[in-house]
Amino acid sequence: MLERIHLEILTAIKEHGTLTKAADSLHLSQSALSHSIKKLEGQIATPIWEKEGRNLRLTAAGERIQTLANRVLPQFLHAELLLSQIAKGEAGALRIGMECHPCYQWLLRVISPYLQRWPDIDMDVKQEFQFGALGALLSYEIDVLITPDPLFKPKIDYIPVFDYEHRLVVSATHKLAEQDFVFPEQLSQEVLFSYPVEPLRLDIFSQFLNPAKCSVKKHKIIETTEIMLQMVAAGRGICALPGWLVDEYSKSMPIKSLRFSEKGIGKQIFVGIRKDEQHIDYLNDFITQAKKTK
């Protein structure tokens, strides 16, 4: 009953709003598009869209089909791409989703030698999936997920590629800079800078401050690592970052990192892939390279 064209039509209607624009985007005539949907409405005995002025609005049935389209159409496109590459003798494509904002510098070190070994691989890094890429991996919009906080699902394998310590970062002139580690209550009057992530997913809150029933004076969002560390170096506040990243920046900036309490916060970077693609050589080699890169 449902065909791929129905999914594409409703996706176009949802995106463009009008029959004319939807038909143009699909390279169909309006009559062909309308006829296809009328036939489907007759089969399911319920309308799929309604007119709202010049625009079309999806009904509850239409919204349900369009939700299905969001999941299924990317899988069609992914399968077609792979089939095309097989037909042309090409190796494939690697689309990487980042759910680890500070990991970008590390990823660049992974990519360079990898591309030299796989010259036929097309690669793309999709940072718009930061902090929410699991759905994109499940729906075949990306092929690899880089994350320090895996959400384990039956269809996904997470492979740890390296360990690191999450550390507090302060200015070299900060009163805490002389310490090797910090206690939660010592941050009560501090301004904390972080990436745009909900606090419950920030380790400084979930593993350090919240268990001790402590907090900071103010929490501010900064999207770029460089600006965040410039603010910290200027004494405007503190932040929490992977120790390996802080070590790199501390060579040229007046900053210092401290452990979170005496034990510290140990973390791992994981590479997530779909279980049905474990056999793909270029995916496995990417994981191998990631494990070598520190």
Side-chain angles (χ1 to χ4, degrees):
M1 184 182 296
L2 275 176
E3 300 176 9
R4 179 177 177 179
I5 187 61
H6 298 138
L7 306 183
E8 292 175 339
I9 289 172
L10 292 197
T11 297
I13 290 294
K14 185 77 172 181
E15 179 180 355
H16 300 289
T18 69
L19 196 64
T20 301
K21 292 180 180 179
D24 288 344
S25 70
L26 296 173
H27 306 290
L28 295 172
S29 67
Q30 293 184 43
S31 59
L33 188 152
S34 183
H35 175 74
S36 179
I37 294 302
K38 284 182 179 179
K39 182 178 179 181
L40 178 60
E41 289 177 330
Q43 291 174 331
I44 65 177
T46 188
I48 291 176
W49 62 45
E50 297 173 343
K51 286 189 176 181
E52 197 172 68
R54 294 184 178 180
N55 293 334
L56 295 176
R57 180 180 62 83
L58 297 184
T59 63
E63 290 285 358
R64 182 63 61 89
I65 297 172
Q66 210 275 315
T67 299
L68 173 67
N70 287 340
R71 298 199 305 270
V72 174
L73 287 179
Q75 298 186 40
F76 270 116
L77 295 173
H78 181 62
E80 289 170 347
L81 175 63
L82 291 179
L83 292 173
S84 173
Q85 290 166 339
I86 291 171
K88 295 176 182 177
E90 297 175 352
L94 189 63
R95 300 162 300 169
I96 302 170
M98 295 292 291
E99 203 178 39
C100 175
H101 205 139
C103 292
Y104 193 74
Q105 287 90 335
W106 165 80
L107 181 62
L108 292 177
R109 297 199 298 272
V110 177
I111 288 175
S112 179
Y114 177 81
L115 289 178
Q116 291 179 15
R117 285 197 304 277
W118 294 90
D120 295 328
I121 288 289
D122 290 326
M123 181 176 287
D124 188 18
V125 178
K126 296 180 176 292
Q127 287 194 287
E128 66 264 33
F129 292 119
Q130 283 170 344
F131 315 121
L134 179 58
L137 183 60
L138 288 168
S139 63
Y140 290 79
E141 295 174 67
I142 58 174
D143 306 301
V144 169
L145 169 59
I146 309 296
T147 180
D149 300 300
L151 296 174
F152 292 95
K153 298 290 182 181
K155 295 182 179 180
I156 303 297
D157 266 347
Y158 288 100
I159 301 95
V161 291
F162 78 86
D163 302 334
Y164 68 94
E165 184 177 355
H166 202 56
R167 297 177 69 89
L168 182 74
V169 189
V170 300
S171 165
T173 59
H174 194 284
K175 60 184 178 182
L176 295 174
E178 299 302 318
Q179 301 179 193
D180 293 324
F181 56 88
V182 64
F183 295 108
E185 58 271 15
Q186 290 182 291
L187 304 186
S188 61
Q189 297 302 310
E190 300 292 339
V191 175
L192 173 68
F193 302 121
S194 83
Y195 299 116
V197 184
E198 56 185 282
L200 289 177
R201 295 196 63 192
L202 292 172
D203 293 306
I204 188 173
F205 284 108
S206 64
Q207 297 195 47
F208 186 65
L209 292 172
N210 292 349
K213 297 182 179 179
C214 295
S215 189
V216 292
K217 181 179 180 180
K218 187 176 292 186
H219 180 198
K220 294 184 177 182
I221 301 300
I222 296 181
E223 295 192 5
T224 60
T225 303
E226 290 79 6
I227 297 300
M228 187 184 300
L229 287 175
Q230 288 287 352
M231 294 289 282
V232 171
R236 303 286 188 86
I238 61 174
C239 68
L241 292 172
W244 56 267
L245 184 62
V246 183
D247 290 342
E248 288 186 15
Y249 279 98
S250 64
K251 297 173 184 177
S252 58
M253 299 179 69
I255 56 175
K256 182 188 175 182
S257 68
L258 294 74
R259 304 192 81 182
F260 287 105
S261 71
E262 293 182 78
K263 294 183 178 180
I265 296 179
K267 297 283 292 182
Q268 290 179 302
I269 294 297
F270 292 83
V271 173
I273 61 172
R274 291 179 288 271
K275 287 188 175 180
D276 60 357
E277 296 182 346
Q278 295 170 329
H279 63 285
I280 299 177
D281 290 342
Y282 64 83
L283 278 177
N284 289 326
D285 194 51
F286 177 83
I287 294 169
T288 300
Q289 181 60 40
K291 290 180 177 179
K292 294 179 180 178
T293 306
K294 305 297 182 183

